[in-house]
């Protein structure tokens, strides 16, 4: 939902939005906000209607919407009269309304629409005269009228900016009261100028137009000053954070223009820029004229966020999330709005991989966030006449007042484009004294075709950084790594293999725990006895697996093998040292969550909309509540999930030893009552309510339930007063009781 959205504000400043619901309904929707919150209505529920919407409000705050019927290729119009939606067919001569419609309301509250006739390649205009729709062709030159924008002057006369695609130019048409006047505003070459145009009129009725120049790739602005068109190029401002970018441009895609009280233009647009000849990044740009010069702000670089996520929770149950954006930057955000708010760091290297459970974010003993990452932008120098870019591997942290950073070491990018030393995967944690420990896998380029790989432990001690090489050689050794520090200060590590190691007696001892399936996406935690627990993905069995050391041997089990499950695992332990794991179900595109309740593994689906759950990271707070950050690949969003109440787990001795169905309470009741029951182990449970004639009234619950004592609410507000029977069925156990409903 939300495609082709258009926004208008009413006289109280509340927003009104028209938009296309592409999935699952393919219809036109409308949303507005008032003092009670958001309200959503379906305006037209015919199939594939609501494309290219435009919304406007009249003097009574009644809504008017123009839109395209994609199934039939028609231009349609909907109006809310205060009690119902009135829908009308405006134009069905060919395929009309494609690309965009533009709607405005005149002083008589009559709608006016400009739109493109795809069949004949012409600009068309329709207005309601009080009795019927009047449709005219404004310009029928070859292929004109795409990306049109409409504004009305104080007489209700139309002014339209539009693209003349065939001749690569921006045109302007207006009605003078007796005939249409057309003129050329700006001309270009190749793909031309005038794309994504937006028009507004000043207090004197003069037009101001923002648009995209596809010839030069710039945002442009034109206004009629009484003697002719004054045209300005607004783009090409280079932010200080990109001092080495030589091909920076800010385009004018999807422009929108307004004038302030002084008549100065303000323009929003999408821009695009390149660095080092890499793939282009997109941004939301804001350009404005302050009376003397043009200014530009990069509002947001985020197109897709959460490609890599990492979460940590402090003692106040505040979630701290680090994540990577599609523009290659790392960002940090907190669930509580501290004074630092949202923070974005430098561009990261392409080689950086998704982190393990230690990940690239961790909290120190004061609860302040620390992050490690490989920065893409560094220092450019000439070495023997050849350009070399030095790229830092950095740690950034917040000390309660400000952000700081330190370069732990430098890799460098040779002129041939090959990185000499490149981090492949890293994770971060802290020991009892608050000193950071970093585990990092590094590719060292020996020649053009050969590389050596190292897994290194970097830690801070005695006021300086130290490095310990754990293992060398092997294909991409140390990827998917995770690190944890015991209460005695001993580092424990895991990495792809599945390999586990710890540092004791001044050397690293490494062992392979599970050589089936590769041990991908592993996550390591230590319990209260300093015993390691590891979750990981088995590529051979496409399953989520879990390994723990019991003091004498490794215990390995498959947690979930229902489909291709277990990628991007993240593990944490609760106060009972029971494991909780978030992971990705690739078969169904879901985020899943598994936890040990003292008897067995309980598995839940947390989010199942399209493709969600990649790059998950899990942390439990002091109450055992899970907090999960993850990536929604369908919409490119960073998402966060938590449970409002903690998960209570019991030992077998604390669980019920038999089935029981208790009398409901209260009884009699009005209109709701609680039904309580015991399960000695996990079962499919059905609770059904019958009337006194034995006819089924409703099924209160029908699902698989874990062992324990449970309660469910039965609401009888839709039923007449009387005696009813409720029945519990769990496996072969069946029991019934009566309840009394009195209104």
């Amino acid at each position: 939902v939300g495609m082709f959205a258009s926004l208008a504000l009413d006289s109280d400043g509340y927003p009104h939005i028209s938009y296309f619901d592409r999935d699952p309904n393919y219809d036109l929707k409308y949303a507005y906000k008032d003092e009670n919150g958001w309200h959503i209505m379906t305006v037209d529920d015919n199939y594939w209607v609501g494309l290219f919407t435009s919304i406007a409000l009249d003097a009574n705050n009644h809504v008017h919407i123009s839109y395209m019927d994609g199934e039939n290729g028609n231009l349609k119009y909907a109006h809310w009269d205060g009690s119902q939606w009135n829908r009308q067919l405006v134009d069905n001569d060919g395929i009309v309304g494609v690309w965009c419609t533009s709607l405005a309301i005149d002083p008589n509250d009559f709608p006016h629409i400009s739109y493109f006739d795809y069949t004949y390649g012409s600009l068309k205009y329709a207005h309601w005269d009080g009795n019927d729709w009047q449709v005219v062709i404004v310009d029928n030159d070859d292929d004109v009228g795409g990306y049109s924008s409409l504004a009305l002057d104080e007489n209700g006369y139309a002014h339209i900016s539009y693209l003349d695609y065939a001749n690569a130019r921006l045109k302007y048409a207006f009605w003078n009261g007796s005939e249409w006047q057309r003129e050329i505003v700006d001309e270009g070459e190749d793909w031309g100028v005038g794309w994504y145009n937006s028009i507004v009129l000043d207090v004197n009725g003069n037009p101001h137009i923002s648009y995209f120049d596809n010839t030069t790739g710039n945002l442009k602005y034109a206004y009629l000053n009484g003697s002719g068109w004054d045209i300005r190029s607004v783009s090409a401002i280079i932010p200080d954070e990109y001092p080495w970018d030589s091909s920076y441009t800010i385009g004018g895609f999807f422009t929108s223009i307004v004038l302030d009280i002084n008549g100065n233009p303000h323009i929003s647009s999408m821009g695009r820029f390149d660095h080092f000849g890499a793939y282009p990044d997109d941004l939301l740009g804001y350009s404005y004229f302050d009376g003397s010069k043009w200014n530009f702000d990069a509002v947001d670089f985020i197109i897709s966020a959460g490609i890599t996520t990492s979460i940590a929770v402090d003692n106040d149950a505040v979630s701290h999330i680090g994540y990577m954006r599609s523009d290659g930057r790392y960002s940090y955000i907190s669930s509580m709005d501290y004074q630092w708010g949202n923070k974005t760091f430098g561009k990261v290297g392409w080689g950086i991989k998704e982190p393990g459970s230690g990940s690239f974010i961790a909290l120190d003993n004061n609860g302040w966030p620390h992050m490690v990452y490989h920065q893409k932008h560094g220092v450019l120098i000439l070495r023997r006449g050849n350009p070399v870019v030095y790229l830092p591997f950095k740690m950034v942290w917040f000390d309660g007042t400000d952000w700081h950073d330190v370069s732990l070491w430098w890799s460098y990018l040779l002129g041939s484009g090959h990185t000499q030393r490149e981090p492949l995967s890293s994770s971060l944690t802290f020991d009892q004294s608050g000193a950071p420990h970093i585990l990092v896998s590094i590719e060292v380029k020996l020649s053009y075709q050969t590389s050596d790989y190292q897994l290194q432990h970097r830690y801070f001690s005695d006021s300086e950084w130290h490095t310990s090489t754990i293992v060398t050689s092997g294909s991409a050794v140390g990827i998917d790594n995770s690190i944890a520090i015991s209460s005695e200060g001993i580092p424990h590590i895991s990495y792809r293999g599945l390999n586990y190691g710890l540092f004791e007696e001044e050397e690293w001892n490494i062992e392979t725990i599970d050589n089936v399936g590769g041990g991908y996406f592993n996550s390591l935690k230590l319990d209260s006895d300093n015993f390691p627990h590891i979750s990981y993905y088995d590529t051979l069995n496409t399953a989520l697996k879990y390994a723990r050391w019991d003091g004498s041997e490794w215990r390995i089990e498959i947690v979930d093998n229902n489909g291709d499950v277990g990628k991007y695992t993240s593990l944490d332990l609760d106060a009972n040292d029971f494991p909780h794991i978030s992971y990705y179900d690739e078969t169904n595109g879901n985020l899943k969550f598994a936890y040990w309740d003292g008897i067995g593994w309980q598995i839940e689906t947390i989010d199942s909309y399209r493709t969600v759950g990649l790059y998950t990271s899990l942390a439990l707070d002091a109450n055992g509540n899970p907090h999960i950050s993850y990536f929604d690949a369908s919409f490119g969003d960073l998402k966060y999930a938590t449970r409002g109440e903690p998960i209570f787990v019991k030992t077998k001795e604390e669980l019920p030893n038999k089935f029981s169905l208790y009398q409901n309470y209260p009884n009699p009741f009005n209109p709701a009552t609680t039904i309580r029951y015991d399960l000695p182990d996990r079962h499919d449970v059905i609770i059904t309510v019958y009337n006194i004639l034995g006819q089924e009234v409703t099924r209160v619950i029908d699902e698989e339930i874990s062992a324990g004592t449970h309660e469910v609410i039965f609401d009888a507000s839709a039923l007449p007063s009387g005696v009813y029977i409720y029945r519990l069925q769990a496996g072969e156990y069946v029991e019934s009781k009566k309840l009394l409903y009195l209104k």
Side-chain angles (χ1 to χ4, degrees):
V1 297
M3 298 178 72
F4 311 113
S6 183
L7 168 72
L9 302 181
D10 62 27
S11 56
D12 294 319
Y14 286 120
H16 299 248
I17 307 172
S18 61
Y19 58 100
F20 179 51
D21 178 354
R22 185 189 183 281
D23 187 2
N25 298 308
Y26 297 87
D27 55 18
L28 171 65
K29 286 185 146 181
Y30 159 70
Y32 71 95
K33 188 178 184 181
D34 60 18
E35 65 274 7
N36 297 315
W38 283 99
H39 308 269
I40 298 174
M41 306 170 68
T42 298
V43 179
D44 192 338
D45 61 1
N46 285 336
Y47 182 69
W48 207 268
V49 296
L51 288 77
F52 310 107
T53 77
S54 184
I55 190 172
L57 303 179
D58 60 30
N60 296 311
N61 284 331
H62 290 164
V63 179
H64 303 250
I65 304 173
S66 60
Y67 58 101
M68 181 186 179
D69 178 342
E71 177 76 359
N72 300 298
N74 300 335
L75 174 66
K76 298 182 76 174
Y77 161 79
H79 168 229
W80 178 259
D81 63 9
S83 60
Q84 64 180 0
W85 286 103
N86 299 296
R87 295 182 296 273
Q88 299 177 9
L89 176 65
V90 179
D91 190 353
N92 62 353
D93 183 15
I95 300 175
V96 291
V98 180
W99 288 354
C100 64
T101 68
S102 188
L103 170 69
I105 307 300
D106 66 22
N108 296 315
D109 290 342
F110 292 164
H112 299 241
I113 308 171
S114 68
Y115 57 100
F116 179 54
D117 184 331
Y118 182 80
T119 301
Y120 299 103
S122 58
L123 171 66
K124 299 181 83 171
Y125 164 74
H127 76 279
W128 179 258
D129 64 5
N131 298 303
D132 202 358
W133 283 99
Q134 305 299 321
V135 177
V136 298
I137 296 174
V138 178
D139 193 338
N140 61 357
D141 281 351
D142 184 33
D143 206 355
V144 295
Y147 301 106
S148 74
S149 183
L150 166 71
L152 302 179
D153 60 28
E154 60 183 6
N155 298 313
Y157 294 165
H159 299 247
I160 306 172
S161 60
Y162 58 101
L163 171 67
D164 179 347
Y165 181 80
N167 297 294
R169 58 194 182 188
L170 172 68
K171 297 184 77 175
Y172 163 69
F174 69 97
W175 178 256
N176 65 8
S178 59
E179 63 179 349
W180 286 97
Q181 302 290 320
R182 296 181 297 271
E183 54 189 275
I184 298 170
V185 179
D186 193 1
E187 296 186 88
E189 300 175 355
D190 301 324
W191 292 95
V193 296
W195 297 67
Y196 314 110
N197 60 78
S198 180
I199 190 172
V200 67
L201 304 180
D202 60 28
V203 293
N204 297 315
N206 295 321
H208 299 246
I209 306 172
S210 62
Y211 57 100
F212 177 54
D213 183 340
N214 215 352
T215 302
T216 61
N218 288 339
L219 168 66
K220 298 185 81 171
Y221 161 73
Y223 75 98
L224 195 59
N225 61 14
S227 59
W229 287 96
D230 191 325
I231 298 174
R232 309 289 177 88
S233 179
V234 181
S235 294
I237 301 173
I238 303 176
D240 293 338
E241 58 193 290
Y242 294 105
W244 301 291
D245 289 348
S246 59
S247 57
Y248 190 100
T249 61
I250 301 171
F253 302 98
F254 311 109
T255 76
S256 185
I257 186 172
V258 294
L259 303 180
D260 62 26
I261 194 171
N262 297 314
N264 292 323
H266 298 246
I267 304 172
S268 65
S269 63
M270 191 191 88
R272 179 162 293 174
F273 61 96
D274 301 328
H275 13 202
F276 290 128
Y279 293 106
D281 292 336
D282 294 330
L283 59 82
L284 171 62
Y286 166 62
S287 304
Y288 63 98
F289 190 73
D290 62 10
S292 60
K293 66 180 186 305
W294 280 96
N295 301 275
F296 173 79
D297 288 332
V299 179
D300 199 344
F301 288 92
I302 299 177
I303 303 300
S304 179
I307 299 173
T308 299
T309 77
S310 177
I311 191 169
V313 180
D314 63 27
N315 293 334
D316 296 320
V318 174
S319 297
H320 304 255
I321 303 174
Y323 59 97
M324 194 173 101
R325 315 183 322 172
S326 66
D327 62 1
R329 301 169 185 272
Y330 271 149
S331 284
Y332 162 81
I333 195 168
S334 167
S335 63
M336 182 176 291
D337 187 17
Y338 288 118
Q339 63 268 31
W340 62 81
N342 185 292
K343 176 71 175 177
T344 300
F345 306 101
K347 187 89 173 175
V348 302
W350 298 117
I352 202 80
K353 299 297 190 298
E354 58 277 357
S357 69
S359 72
F360 61 88
I361 188 171
L363 305 182
D364 62 22
N365 294 347
N366 295 315
W368 303 125
H370 293 58
M371 299 171 65
V372 291
Y373 67 96
H374 180 205
Q375 185 165 303
K376 182 177 176 60
H377 287 285
V379 178
L380 174 64
I381 66 171
L382 293 178
R383 192 173 69 178
R384 296 177 182 174
N386 296 316
V388 178
V389 181
Y390 284 85
L391 309 172
F393 181 69
K394 305 185 75 171
M395 183 175 75
V396 296
W397 71 95
F398 188 75
D399 64 2
T401 303
D402 201 0
W403 285 93
H404 306 272
D405 66 83
V406 61
S407 296
L408 303 179
W409 51 273
W410 295 76
S411 62
Y412 50 94
L413 185 68
L414 302 179
S416 60
H418 296 282
T419 304
Q420 190 71 9
R421 295 195 300 167
E422 178 180 13
L424 300 179
S425 184
S426 60
S427 53
L428 167 70
T429 192
F430 290 88
D431 60 27
Q432 295 287 83
S433 67
H437 293 250
I438 298 169
L439 189 63
V440 58
S441 175
I442 303 169
E443 177 186 7
V444 179
K445 210 75 171 177
L446 301 177
S447 66
Y448 178 75
Q449 294 181 323
T450 61
S451 296
D452 190 15
Y453 297 89
Q454 298 179 359
L455 179 62
Q456 293 187 356
H457 171 222
R458 297 175 181 268
Y459 60 98
F460 193 76
S461 177
D462 299 326
S463 302
E464 62 179 338
W465 285 93
H466 303 267
T467 299
S468 168
T469 299
I470 301 169
V471 62
T472 61
S473 72
S475 177
V477 67
I479 285 182
D480 294 342
N481 59 62
S482 186
I483 185 170
I485 309 296
S486 72
S487 57
E488 290 87 11
I490 297 174
H492 297 242
I493 63 171
S494 64
Y495 56 95
R496 188 183 293 182
L498 174 72
N499 295 299
Y500 162 78
L502 74 163
F503 190 75
E504 54 185 357
E505 297 180 354
E506 300 302 319
E507 66 178 27
W508 285 96
N509 296 301
I510 307 294
E511 61 177 315
T512 299
I513 299 170
D514 188 352
N515 57 8
V516 176
Y520 285 62
F521 306 107
N522 62 82
S523 182
L524 165 71
K525 292 291 180 181
L526 302 180
D527 62 25
S528 55
D529 294 319
N530 289 321
F531 292 163
H533 300 241
I534 307 173
S535 63
Y536 57 102
Y537 174 60
D538 181 338
T539 59
L540 182 63
N541 297 294
T542 62
L544 170 66
K545 297 178 80 171
Y546 164 72
R548 67 179 177 88
W549 177 257
D550 67 4
S552 59
E553 62 178 338
W554 284 97
R555 304 281 186 176
I556 298 175
E557 56 187 299
I558 293 177
V559 178
D560 189 354
N561 61 353
N562 185 18
D564 190 355
V565 294
K567 293 182 178 178
Y568 310 109
T569 77
S570 187
L571 166 74
D572 205 356
L573 304 177
D574 62 25
N576 296 315
D577 287 333
F578 289 167
H580 300 242
I581 307 171
S582 63
Y583 58 102
Y584 177 55
D585 176 350
E586 186 167 61
T587 299
N588 300 298
N590 297 341
L591 169 67
K592 299 186 78 174
F593 175 64
Y595 67 95
W596 181 262
D597 67 358
I599 303 300
W601 286 98
Q602 310 300 326
I603 298 176
E604 303 176 12
T605 298
I606 304 298
D607 194 346
S608 59
Y609 187 75
R610 291 189 174 180
T611 306
V612 294
L614 290 82
Y615 311 105
T616 76
S617 184
L618 165 72
L620 301 178
D621 62 28
N623 295 318
N625 294 315
H627 301 253
I628 306 172
S629 62
Y630 58 102
F631 180 53
D632 181 338
S634 298
F635 295 99
D637 294 335
L638 169 68
K639 299 182 82 172
Y640 166 74
T642 186
R643 187 190 297 271
E645 296 293 333
I647 298 172
F648 293 102
V649 296
K650 296 183 178 181
T651 64
K652 194 169 182 64
E653 291 74 18
E654 296 174 307
L655 293 171
N657 56 14
K658 64 176 183 178
F659 293 97
S660 297
L661 177 65
Y662 297 93
Q663 186 63 51
N664 65 296
Y665 62 92
N667 192 41
F669 67 96
N670 177 27
T673 187
T674 300
I675 299 172
R676 186 167 176 254
Y677 60 96
D678 289 341
L679 300 177
D681 46 37
R682 192 176 186 89
H683 271 283
D684 290 324
V685 173
I686 300 175
I687 297 179
T688 311
V689 177
Y690 301 89
N691 61 23
I692 200 66
L693 299 177
Q695 299 169 322
E696 181 177 326
V697 173
T698 186
R699 185 163 289 189
V700 181
I701 194 170
D702 184 358
E703 61 182 90
E704 188 179 9
I705 304 294
S706 60
T709 299
H710 302 274
E711 293 181 345
V712 64
I713 302 297
F714 168 52
D715 188 341
S717 56
L719 301 175
S721 298
V723 177
Y724 293 87
I725 299 167
Y726 62 102
R727 177 177 180 265
L728 168 69
Q729 179 180 351
E732 298 181 357
Y733 175 79
V734 178
E735 187 175 354
S736 301
K737 291 184 181 294
K738 293 181 180 180
L739 49 80
L740 178 59
Y741 173 39
L742 295 178
K743 287 189 176 180

